[in-house]
């Protein structure tokens, strides 16, 4: 990667200057360069001279000059190096490099941007993880979309990825449901997902007025934990009904998650963990319950076993962590879970360390914020649930209205609307930094002129139609010609793609890829609006522009692939 090459160049320069006694400071960071905001400061800029000068109390311009004098000169990727006040070293990449990068896209195709930096490394990504007998909430949608994108990015970077859907199929909610089912004498064969949701809401409404009800629910959950036949039967029916519902959503989203080790899978193990905790003297008794107290009280206590000897979500999560560590020996475990579970996960990761299974640095919480829609927060408990399937179907209906192509059959239109609608919902989520609350605004999501998925998909179809008109078969390597301003802008974006992917992986930020692909699309459209491609003045120019078109469309495709979004030939 070019960034790395320039970095190494600077490092070598600094080392040689130091060996010659020209500079004394040499403590340098990993990454020494940045893309300056303004074009006239080059493609990469380095601020190290200012840092050195501050420590040595000398003139940064002089230090910059020394470093530049010592930079190795024999390379073909730098065109010129400039020193700018107050001591920046600015690098301008060469035309040859820019064109070679287009050729790389042509040769590598769908692999362009991938790397093997993750070779021999394993990451587990815990995502989606909806709860049985509750609706698949908008939060689970965020987790599914972001988790899948992170999975795709890590895979592209050469990691071995293990996707795990930690289905919430255990917990006190089942006690509540079974209690209500029994109380209302509901026939099991009549149960549906809507009924389950209503029963859950009804339970909570009644429980506000009558505290005994909670005890009834606890009793049923206890029975379930002890393997009571009737409780187990009702539980299994609830699981089956929900799974069917979730499958529909995964199908709409076109998501497949490698594994689904649900909470109940860890039930027995969680009892063993509790024994281990007792042996290791990690827990104390408190009002009949077993809790972990953290050293120096740096975190609130965590409960492993309730006073009625039911296991907790925490205990099951611990069992899960241990199981994963033993089974996969991962280098990294990523939890894509809502921001409201931040404290819980902190407690969990610290507990893993107390048990001595792994360092907590192996664990990462990617916390997504809420989705807001007309100032309402979605919640199952209060009963104002937004049905995800409805939202997704609405996206498809709305997408159908923005399809431009008039020569499509109804069937084609429907297929396109599905790709555009679902893509738009995904992109809306991914294009915003995951940690913030996002707003669901249909006009923005489907805006063909703004930073939206339809805009990018449309740009892709535009490239495709150019390639089709050019009777384009297989891309040929292209040569340097003199390029105009718009071509220059595209070239100076393309080469950044591999760098963006690495950064998106490092910082778990698919939004970097969205920003990038939007930027590239805008630059391509500006070029398309101003210049002839197939009817360009010369053959060389035509071939060059077709190569640019091909590279743009390939990079859009690679980007959207990583985001879990499909492209279209027409729309
Ligand atoms: N089922 C949980 C919920 O909906 C999320 C589980 C996340 N994963 C985990 N290992 N805790 O709140």
């Amino acid at each position: 990667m070019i960034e790395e090459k320039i970095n190494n160049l600077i490092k070598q320069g600094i080392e040689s200057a130091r060996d010659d006694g020209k500079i004394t400071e040499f403590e340098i960071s990993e990454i020494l360069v940045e893309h300056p905001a303004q074009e006239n400061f080059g493609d990469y800029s380095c601020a190290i001279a200012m840092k050195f000068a501050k420590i040595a109390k000398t003139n940064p311009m002089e230090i910059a000059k020394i470093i530049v004098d010592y930079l190795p000169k024999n390379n073909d990727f730098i065109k010129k190096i400039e020193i700018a006040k107050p001591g920046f070293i600015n690098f301008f990449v060469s035309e040859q490099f820019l064109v070679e990068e287009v050729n790389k896209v042509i040769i590598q195709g769908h692999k362009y941007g991938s790397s093997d930096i993750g070779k021999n490394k394993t990451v587990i990504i815990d995502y989606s993880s909806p709860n049985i007998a509750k609706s698949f909430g908008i939060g689970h949608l965020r987790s599914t979309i972001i988790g899948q994108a992170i999975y795709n990015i890590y895979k592209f970077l050469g990691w071995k990825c293990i996707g795990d859907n930690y289905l919430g199929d255990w917990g006190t909610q089942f006690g509540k449901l079974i209690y209500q089912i029994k109380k209302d004498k509901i026939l099991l064969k009549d149960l549906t997902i809507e009924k389950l949701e209503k029963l859950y809401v009804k339970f909570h409404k009644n429980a506000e007025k009558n505290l005994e009800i909670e005890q009834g629910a606890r009793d049923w959950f206890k029975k379930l934990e002890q393997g009571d036949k009737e409780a187990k039967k009702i539980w299994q029916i609830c699981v089956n009904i929900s799974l069917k519902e979730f499958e529909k959503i995964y199908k709409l989203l076109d998501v497949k998650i490698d594994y689904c080790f649900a909470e109940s899978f860890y039930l027995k193990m969680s009892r063993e963990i509790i024994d281990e905790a007792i042996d290791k003297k990690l827990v104390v008794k408190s009002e009949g319950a077993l809790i972990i107290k953290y050293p120096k009280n740096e975190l609130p206590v965590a409960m492993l076993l309730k006073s009625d000897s039911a296991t907790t979500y925490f205990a099951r999560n611990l069992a899960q962590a241990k199981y994963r560590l033993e089974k996969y020996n991962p280098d990294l475990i990523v939890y894509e879970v809502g921001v409201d579970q931040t404290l819980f996960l902190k407690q969990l990761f610290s507990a893993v360390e107390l048990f001595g299974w792994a360092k907590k640095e192996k664990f990462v919480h990617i916390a997504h914020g809420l989705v807001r829609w007309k100032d309402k927060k979605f919640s199952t408990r209060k009963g104002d649930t937004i049905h995800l399937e409805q939202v997704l179907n609405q996206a498809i209906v709305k997408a159908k209205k923005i399809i431009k192509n008039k020569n499509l059959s109804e069937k084609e239109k429907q297929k396109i609307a599905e790709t555009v609608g679902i893509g738009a919902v995904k992109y809306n989520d991914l294009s915003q930094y995951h940690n913030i609350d996002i707003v669901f605004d249909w006009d923005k999501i489907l805006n063909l002129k703004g930073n939206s998925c339809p805009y990018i998909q449309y740009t892709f179809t535009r490239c495709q139609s150019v390639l089709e008109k050019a009777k384009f078969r297989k891309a040929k390597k292209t040569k340097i010609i003199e390029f105009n301003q718009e071509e220059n802008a595209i070239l100076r974006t393309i080469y950044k793609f591999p760098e963006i992917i690495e950064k998106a992986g490092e910082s778990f930020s698919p939004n970097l890829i969205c920003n990038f692909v939007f930027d590239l699309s805008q630059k391509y459209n500006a070029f398309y609006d101003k210049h002839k491609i197939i009817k360009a003045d010369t053959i060389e120019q035509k071939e060059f522009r077709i190569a640019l078109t091909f590279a743009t469309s390939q990079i859009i495709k690679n980007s959207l692939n990583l985001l879990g979004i499909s492209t279209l030939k027409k729309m």
Side-chain angles (χ1 to χ4, degrees):
M1 223 167 37
I2 180 86
E3 186 189 49
E4 216 175 297
K5 284 188 185 167
I6 297 180
N7 240 340
N8 287 340
L9 221 70
I10 303 172
K11 271 188 205 153
Q12 285 173 36
I14 293 173
E15 266 162 33
S16 328
R18 185 199 50 194
D19 291 349
D20 268 3
K22 302 282 185 193
I23 50 176
T24 47
E25 290 304 327
F26 60 91
E27 207 181 294
I28 51 178
S29 44
E30 260 321 287
I31 306 278
L32 295 163
V33 288
E34 254 176 29
H35 294 294
Q38 278 175 47
E39 244 173 68
N40 50 339
F41 293 141
D43 298 292
Y44 287 97
S45 182
C46 173
I48 195 83
M50 272 104 84
K51 202 174 144 197
F52 284 2
K54 205 169 164 194
I55 302 170
K57 300 203 171 58
T58 49
N59 181 350
M61 291 296 274
E62 268 164 35
I63 296 208
K65 192 166 176 313
I66 294 170
I67 295 174
V68 171
D69 283 345
Y70 275 92
L71 291 179
K73 296 284 167 333
N74 50 345
N75 70 68
D76 50 17
F77 50 92
I78 303 278
K79 186 180 177 186
K80 73 177 171 187
I81 301 172
E82 277 179 2
I83 298 172
K85 273 182 190 164
F88 287 107
I89 307 170
N90 296 336
F91 296 82
F92 295 77
V93 298
S94 68
E95 279 83 9
Q96 184 178 340
F97 160 75
L98 291 170
V99 170
E100 271 315 311
E101 207 61 21
V102 173
N103 286 332
K104 261 197 202 160
V105 185
I106 290 171
I107 293 163
Q108 296 177 3
H110 68 277
K111 290 214 173 100
Y112 180 70
S114 66
S115 92
D116 59 5
I117 53 166
K119 207 171 149 199
N120 299 327
K121 285 199 271 190
T122 302
V123 57
I124 298 176
I125 301 152
D126 180 318
Y127 65 111
S128 193
S129 312
N131 300 318
I132 298 291
K134 293 190 191 172
S135 62
F136 192 112
I138 217 110
H140 297 118
L141 174 70
R142 291 208 74 185
S143 176
T144 310
I145 293 172
I146 299 168
Q148 186 65 55
I150 290 174
Y151 181 101
N152 298 342
I153 295 167
Y154 270 76
K155 201 158 191 187
F156 207 53
L157 291 172
W159 287 66
K160 180 177 174 205
C161 295
I162 294 164
D164 193 4
N165 186 357
Y166 188 46
L167 205 63
D169 69 346
W170 207 254
T172 41
Q173 78 259 34
F174 289 98
K176 296 172 183 175
L177 267 175
I178 299 174
Y179 173 88
Q180 203 62 45
I181 288 170
K182 295 293 291 176
K183 173 132 198 291
D184 292 2
K185 299 199 174 64
I186 309 272
L187 292 177
L188 295 183
K189 67 173 178 36
D190 292 341
L191 278 176
T192 59
I193 192 83
E194 291 80 18
K195 272 228 174 90
L196 288 178
E197 272 168 33
K198 282 205 182 107
L199 287 167
Y200 192 67
V201 173
K202 187 169 173 188
F203 176 89
H204 276 278
K205 261 204 193 124
N206 293 340
E208 274 169 26
K209 288 175 261 153
N210 181 354
L211 292 177
E212 273 163 39
I213 293 182
E214 291 278 5
Q215 188 53 45
R218 270 197 292 274
D219 291 344
W220 270 110
F221 182 55
K222 195 167 174 191
K223 276 194 182 175
L224 181 62
E225 282 229 331
Q226 289 165 344
D228 175 88
K229 261 206 177 135
E230 187 181 14
K232 264 259 152 106
K233 186 176 165 198
I234 302 177
W235 170 80
Q236 190 63 58
I237 290 172
C238 295
V239 171
N240 294 349
I241 292 172
S242 297
L243 279 183
K244 244 198 194 148
E245 237 8 72
F246 298 163
E247 279 312 318
K248 268 200 258 172
I249 290 169
Y250 290 132
K251 196 160 174 245
L252 267 172
L253 291 173
D254 195 18
V255 164
K256 278 198 192 74
I257 307 176
D258 298 333
Y259 298 101
C260 179
F261 291 116
E263 275 191 55
S264 61
F265 175 75
Y266 295 103
L267 200 56
K268 201 166 147 250
M269 284 178 249
S270 68
R271 300 249 173 223
E272 288 159 16
I273 296 295
I274 291 166
D275 293 339
E276 185 176 338
I278 296 170
D279 280 352
K280 290 186 170 165
K281 301 200 170 38
L282 294 172
V283 281
V284 290
K285 259 213 157 106
S286 164
E287 292 172 29
L290 275 185
I291 57 169
I292 296 185
K293 271 196 174 170
Y294 290 89
K296 292 187 228 133
N297 292 329
E298 56 190 14
L299 287 167
V301 300
M303 194 189 290
L304 290 194
L305 199 65
K306 296 184 188 170
S307 55
D308 62 2
S309 78
T311 59
T312 59
Y313 180 56
F314 196 91
R316 293 189 288 279
N317 266 274
L318 270 176
Q320 181 205 49
K322 188 178 187 196
Y323 178 78
R324 286 171 169 173
L325 288 164
E326 282 175 355
K327 181 159 180 183
Y328 301 107
N329 190 21
D331 299 272
L332 192 65
I333 308 183
V334 176
Y335 293 66
E336 206 315 331
V337 188
V339 70
D340 54 334
Q341 291 191 31
T342 302
L343 175 63
F344 165 78
L345 288 172
K346 251 195 189 153
Q347 290 171 301
L348 180 70
F349 303 161
S350 281
V352 167
E353 208 173 279
L354 289 180
F355 272 89
W357 301 330
K359 286 260 164 235
K360 61 179 176 216
E361 286 70 29
K362 230 179 215 183
F363 295 76
V364 184
H365 176 202
I366 305 302
H368 61 254
L370 295 174
V371 180
R372 294 189 187 283
W373 195 335
K374 288 173 197 152
D375 296 329
K376 246 201 254 156
K377 179 186 159 175
F378 305 116
S379 133
T380 358
R381 256 190 214 168
K382 297 196 191 80
D384 55 353
T385 322
I386 293 290
H387 281 273
L388 198 61
E389 211 188 328
Q390 274 169 19
V391 175
L392 296 177
N393 282 324
Q394 207 176 347
I396 295 170
V397 171
K398 285 180 186 281
K400 213 166 178 177
K401 295 190 186 128
I402 63 165
I403 296 174
K404 285 194 165 180
N405 197 319
K406 298 274 177 296
N407 314 316
L408 296 167
S409 71
E410 190 48 38
K411 211 171 149 199
E412 277 176 307
K413 247 188 172 171
Q414 180 62 24
K415 268 244 67 54
I416 293 172
E418 280 167 24
T419 305
V420 174
I422 300 294
V425 171
K426 288 185 179 178
Y427 187 89
N428 175 56
D429 203 318
L430 294 169
S431 57
Q432 313 184 58
Y433 183 59
H434 53 74
N435 203 232
I436 55 165
D437 291 356
I438 62 166
V439 180
F440 214 90
D441 173 357
W442 284 119
D443 292 335
K444 191 177 150 245
I445 292 174
L446 292 166
N447 181 0
L448 266 172
K449 293 199 175 86
N451 186 2
S452 73
C453 192
Y455 174 79
I456 292 156
Q457 282 170 325
Y458 187 71
T459 310
F460 180 82
T461 63
R462 184 170 255 184
C463 294
Q464 290 300 304
S465 93
V466 169
L467 296 174
E468 196 171 302
K469 278 197 198 112
K471 301 211 168 40
F472 174 87
R473 290 265 170 277
K474 206 167 174 274
K476 278 189 284 202
K477 280 176 116 189
T478 188
K479 293 188 284 286
I480 304 181
I481 61 156
E482 207 169 300
F483 20 84
N484 62 42
Q485 198 184 333
E486 288 74 24
E487 291 162 340
N488 183 46
I490 298 176
L491 286 164
R492 288 196 136 79
T493 307
I494 285 179
Y495 81 86
K496 292 180 184 140
F497 183 61
E499 201 177 294
I500 292 289
I501 303 299
E502 246 182 57
K503 292 196 170 133
E506 246 165 52
S507 61
F508 305 98
S509 302
N511 60 310
L512 297 180
I513 300 178
C514 296
N515 293 346
F516 171 86
V517 71
F518 175 54
D519 184 40
L520 177 64
S521 300
Q522 278 183 310
K523 287 181 172 148
Y524 183 81
N525 286 321
F527 156 76
Y528 179 93
D529 287 342
K530 197 160 168 191
H531 302 286
K532 294 195 184 88
I533 300 176
I534 296 165
K535 291 186 181 140
D537 292 341
T538 64
I539 288 272
E540 285 83 35
Q541 206 171 43
K542 175 179 162 182
E543 283 183 353
F544 176 72
R545 290 178 179 176
I546 289 174
L548 270 192
T549 302
F550 175 82
T552 301
S553 82
Q554 184 70 56
I555 293 179
I556 293 180
K557 190 165 184 169
N558 293 6
S559 301
L560 292 185
N561 255 340
L562 290 172
L563 302 172
I565 298 170
S566 310
T567 45
L568 294 155
K569 280 213 176 309
K570 43 190 174 178
M571 74 183 257

